Amino acid sequence: MPVCKQCQNNFTVYPEDKEFYKRIDVPEPKTCADCSFQRRLVWRNERNFYKRKCDLTNQQIIAIYSPDKPFKVYNQKDWWGDKWSGLEFGREFDFSRPFFEQFKELMLAVPRIAIYNQNCDNSEFINHSANSKDSYMGCVVMDSENVLYSTYSWNCKDLSDCLLIHDSELCYESFYCFNGDRLFFSQNSRDCGDSYFLFDCHGCRDCFLCSNLHNQKNCISNKQYSQAEYEKRMKEMLPLTAEKIREYSVQMHKLIKENPQKALEIRKSEDSWGDYLIDCKSTYNSFNTVAAENCQDIDWGTNVKKCYRSSYFGDGELFYEANANRGNYNLKFVNLCYFSSNMEYCDLCPSCEDCFGCVGLKHKKYCIFNKQYDESNYRKIKEKIIWHMKDKGEYGEFFPPDLAPFCYNESAAQIDFPLERKEALSKGWQWLDENIAEINSDLPICTECSKNYKIIPQEKEFYEQNNLPLPNKCPNCRHLDRVKLRHSRHLVKRKCDKCQKEIIASKSLNNSEKVYCEECYKKEIY
C-alpha cells in the first residue's frame, strides 16, 4: 500500500485504478486523493477580489490577483480580444533544465485574465461564471439572474446568500436546494416553496420550521394545521427580525437532531459512494457531483465520464488531475482549459487542442511552451519532454505548490483544508499577510470578524421586498456559516442507529443522535 508523500498516510490503488492509469499512460499517484485535491484547490481563488492596474491599458480594474502578484493581468475584454497572442511568448524547451522551472517563467510572461467569467452582463464581481446577468459577489453563477453573494447556482433567479442551489427562484440563506421558490433559511430540500427553515423536505409548500417532511402543506414544527390556522400562526411569526432568526435557527438545529439523518446525501445513483451525489453510476469517493459515470476521487463534477482526481469540471470525458475545465476530452494535469482536448500540463488555454506545457493560448493546436509546431514535430518533442520530466521525477502529478498563482489563505483550499500561516509555509504554500483596514463607523461592522462591510442598493432592495432584516455579518462570514452546513468530505465507518449494520457516513455526523442507512431512512420517512 503506497504512502502519500505529502501527509504520510497510506492510500489504496485498486486494480481497476491501475488499469485506468495504464490506459492514459501515466504513473501511479504518489499522493492520496485528499492531498491531490488540496493541491488543485490552491489554483482556485473564488471570492477574493482586488483593485489593480490592467497591464495592457493601465486602467484600474477588479481582479482575482492582488496587486503584489508578479503576473501580468489583463481586463477581460482585452484578454479575450485580438490585441495580443499567446504565441508571442513562445519558446523552445531547454532540456538542460527542469520542466516546472521553465513553466514558471512562462506563467510570469503570459498575461492572465482578471476575472474568469464569460457572457455575463452587469456582473463585474462574479468569478468562474457564465451566461448570467445583474449578479454580484458570487462564484459559479451559471445561467442565472439577480444572484447576490451566492456560490454554485445553476439556472436561478433572485437569490441572495445561497450555496449549491439549482433551478430555483427567490431564495435566501439556503443550502443544497433544488426547484425551490420563495425558500428561506432552508437546507437539503427540493420541490418546495413559500417556506422557511426547512431541512430535508420534499414537495412541501407553506411550511415553517419542518424536517423530513414529504408532500405536506401548512405545517409548523412538523405539526399539521388547517390553512386558516397556519395563516394565523404565520402572522405571529413574521416578519422575521434578527432576534427571531436566531431563535428559529436554534429550534431548527434541535429539530434536525430529533429526526433521523441520512448517512450520506446520495440520490438516484447506482453503485456509487461519496457525498452530495445525484444521478451517478459507478462513481466512488466523490463529492458534490451530478451525473458522473465510472469516476473516482472527483469533486464538483457535472455530466462527466471516466474521470479520476479532477475537480470543478463538467461535460467531458477522460480527465486526470484536471482543475476547472468544461466541455473537454482527454485532459491531464491542466487548469482552466475550457472546451479543449488532448491537453497536458497547460494553464488557462481555452478552446485548444493537442498542446503541452502552454499558458494563455486561445484556439491553438500543436503547441509546446506556446510555440507552434506541425503535428509530426509536436508529437516527437512532446514525448521527448515527457521522458525528460520522468527522469527528473516531475511527470505524473498536478503542478507543484510553488507554481500556484494564489496564496493558500486566499484560495479555496483554506475552506476544505484550513491551515495556520506557519503550517502552510512549512508545506511550501504561499501566504498572504492581511492588511488590517481602519474601522469606518459610517459602515456596518461585522459581529463575527469586526470588519466593515457594505450593503449595496440591490441587496437592500431584496431585504425590503422580502421583509428581511439587514445582516449583521459581512458576506465572507455569512459564506463561512453556510459552508459549515455541508457534511465533511471525510467519510468514516459507523453503525446505522436503527438496524445496527455497518455503514459509511460523513465524519461530521459523528455526534448526531440519529444517523440511518438509506433503507432505514426511507422506511422511517416515506
Side-chain angles (χ1 to χ4, degrees):
M1 184 176 288
V3 177
C4 174
K5 71 175 187 179
Q6 182 169 312
C7 68
Q8 309 305 312
N9 291 327
N10 291 328
F11 65 98
T12 303
V13 178
Y14 297 99
E16 53 268 32
D17 303 340
K18 294 182 179 182
E19 291 178 10
F20 178 83
Y21 300 140
K22 185 177 180 179
R23 176 186 175 184
I24 64 172
D25 196 22
V26 298
E28 293 180 16
K30 299 176 183 177
T31 56
C32 67
D34 277 356
C35 289
S36 169
F37 182 44
Q38 182 183 23
R39 180 182 285 197
R40 295 193 302 274
L41 282 175
V42 184
W43 286 65
R44 187 176 180 88
N45 170 15
E46 293 187 344
R47 299 177 50 80
N48 295 287
F49 299 92
Y50 306 94
K51 290 181 179 180
R52 62 171 294 158
K53 293 287 184 69
C54 169
D55 288 293
L56 181 66
T57 66
N58 206 36
Q59 294 178 338
Q60 191 85 347
I61 60 172
I62 301 298
I64 55 175
Y65 301 93
S66 57
D68 60 333
K69 294 290 191 297
F71 305 107
K72 295 178 183 175
V73 178
Y74 286 4
N75 67 75
Q76 292 186 70
K77 180 181 177 181
D78 287 323
W79 193 91
W80 287 107
D82 57 5
K83 294 181 180 179
W84 69 285
S85 168
L87 294 179
E88 299 170 19
F89 307 93
R91 59 200 66 189
E92 291 190 5
F93 184 78
D94 184 350
F95 286 93
S96 68
R97 300 170 59 201
F99 173 89
F100 289 124
E101 181 181 290
Q102 299 177 67
F103 192 82
K104 185 174 184 178
E105 293 172 356
L106 185 62
M107 284 183 64
L108 294 172
V110 181
R112 304 188 73 81
I113 188 169
I115 296 176
Y116 206 95
N117 70 40
Q118 290 181 291
N119 194 29
C120 293
D121 182 35
N122 190 32
S123 302
E124 188 176 20
F125 287 86
I126 63 172
N127 192 22
H128 293 290
S129 301
N131 307 319
S132 297
K133 66 178 183 178
D134 300 327
S135 297
Y136 181 76
M137 288 297 284
C139 182
V140 191
V141 181
M142 311 296 289
D143 303 301
S144 297
E145 182 179 347
N146 296 328
V147 173
L148 311 176
Y149 304 109
S150 298
T151 305
Y152 309 120
S153 67
W154 283 268
N155 192 29
C156 292
K157 184 178 180 181
D158 298 328
L159 303 189
S160 186
D161 290 276
C162 289
L163 173 63
L164 251 176
I165 307 291
H166 289 246
D167 304 303
S168 298
E169 185 171 346
L170 196 54
C171 299
Y172 177 65
E173 281 290 3
S174 292
F175 161 66
Y176 199 61
C177 293
F178 300 78
N179 300 310
D181 63 282
R182 290 194 57 79
L183 206 55
F184 303 87
F185 304 98
S186 296
Q187 305 172 39
N188 298 29
S189 297
R190 65 179 186 268
D191 303 316
C192 296
D194 293 303
S195 298
Y196 298 76
F197 297 98
L198 301 186
F199 180 84
D200 202 6
C201 291
H202 305 156
C204 295
R205 299 199 72 83
D206 297 301
C207 290
F208 192 97
L209 207 59
C210 291
S211 174
N212 304 72
L213 292 186
H214 294 257
N215 301 315
Q216 299 296 318
K217 189 175 182 180
N218 298 330
C219 293
I220 300 175
S221 299
N222 283 28
K223 181 180 177 181
Q224 183 71 62
Y225 289 85
S226 68
Q227 183 172 343
E229 290 173 323
Y230 177 82
E231 291 175 355
K232 180 180 178 182
R233 289 289 307 273
M234 290 305 296
K235 286 180 180 179
E236 300 170 358
M237 304 176 85
L238 298 177
L240 293 175
T241 63
E243 185 177 353
K244 284 183 177 180
I245 291 171
R246 286 192 294 270
E247 177 188 340
Y248 296 143
S249 297
V250 171
Q251 293 181 34
M252 183 179 184
H253 182 73
K254 182 181 178 182
L255 189 66
I256 293 170
K257 285 283 189 179
E258 291 172 348
N259 286 280
Q261 295 189 56
K262 289 184 288 186
L264 299 167
E265 282 289 340
I266 301 178
R267 292 199 292 113
K268 297 189 290 185
S269 297
E270 177 186 343
D271 184 31
S272 299
W273 60 273
D275 212 356
Y276 299 112
L277 302 181
I278 303 174
D279 293 322
C280 292
K281 182 179 180 181
S282 302
T283 294
Y284 313 114
N285 194 42
S286 298
F287 304 85
N288 309 298
T289 289
V290 178
E293 184 175 345
N294 296 322
C295 295
Q296 183 167 303
D297 302 325
I298 66 172
D299 290 78
W300 304 101
T302 305
N303 191 30
V304 292
K305 294 181 179 180
K306 300 173 187 174
C307 298
Y308 273 50
R309 294 189 174 219
S310 295
S311 43
Y312 303 100
F313 65 118
D315 304 319
E317 183 175 345
L318 220 60
F319 291 38
Y320 181 65
E321 286 284 12
N323 188 56
N325 303 280
R326 185 168 295 276
N328 309 88
Y329 178 79
N330 191 26
L331 302 186
K332 294 184 281 190
F333 323 110
V334 303
N335 178 64
L336 279 171
C337 293
Y338 282 65
F339 307 108
S340 296
S341 59
N342 304 322
M343 308 283 284
E344 286 188 65
Y345 285 108
C346 290
D347 173 37
L348 199 57
C349 292
S351 303
C352 291
E353 186 177 348
D354 292 287
C355 292
F356 189 97
C358 293
V359 179
L361 294 183
K362 297 167 289 185
H363 305 284
K364 296 295 183 288
K365 188 175 183 178
Y366 301 134
C367 294
I368 297 174
F369 270 68
N370 287 35
K371 183 177 179 180
Q372 185 72 64
Y373 293 89
D374 60 37
E375 181 179 1
S376 177
N377 280 322
Y378 167 80
R379 300 198 184 282
K380 289 177 184 178
I381 297 171
K382 171 190 166 183
E383 290 305 311
K384 188 177 178 182
I385 294 174
I386 290 175
W387 279 112
H388 175 80
M389 292 177 71
K390 288 179 177 178
D391 184 61
K392 299 288 185 181
E394 294 182 302
Y395 188 78
E397 293 183 296
F398 195 71
F399 301 107
D402 62 343
L403 261 66
F406 305 108
C407 296
Y408 193 91
N409 57 324
E410 63 180 345
S411 75
Q414 184 67 350
I415 299 293
D416 283 285
F417 303 92
L419 297 177
E420 298 293 333
R421 181 181 189 277
K422 184 177 180 181
E423 186 179 7
L425 293 175
S426 71
K427 293 178 179 292
W429 311 108
Q430 305 170 68
W431 191 267
L432 182 67
D433 290 317
E434 186 177 9
N435 293 321
I436 306 299
E438 293 185 9
I439 297 297
N440 184 342
S441 59
D442 295 329
L443 293 174
I445 300 174
C446 175
T447 57
E448 185 74 23
C449 67
S450 301
K451 297 177 183 176
N452 285 129
Y453 61 100
K454 294 181 180 179
I455 295 177
I456 64 171
Q458 187 180 359
E459 179 186 5
K460 187 176 181 182
E461 182 181 355
F462 180 91
Y463 300 139
E464 290 174 348
Q465 289 178 348
N466 295 286
N467 292 315
L468 295 166
L470 298 180
N472 57 14
K473 292 184 181 181
C474 70
N476 279 339
C477 288
R478 299 188 323 248
H479 174 70
L480 291 176
D481 286 343
R482 289 190 294 278
V483 168
K484 292 173 186 176
L485 300 175
R486 296 185 304 172
H487 290 171
S488 163
R489 289 185 69 261
H490 299 100
L491 306 180
V492 295
K493 292 181 179 180
R494 63 172 291 164
K495 290 187 176 181
C496 168
D497 289 317
K498 183 73 171 180
C499 69
Q500 298 302 306
K501 78 174 182 182
E502 191 172 81
I503 59 175
I504 297 174
S506 169
K507 186 178 180 180
S508 57
L509 295 176
N510 266 356
N511 296 323
S512 298
E513 295 178 4
K514 296 180 182 179
V515 177
Y516 286 6
C517 66
E518 187 73 14
E519 293 79 7
C520 290
Y521 178 84
K522 287 180 177 178
K523 289 178 183 178
E524 181 84 10
I525 301 302
Y526 290 97

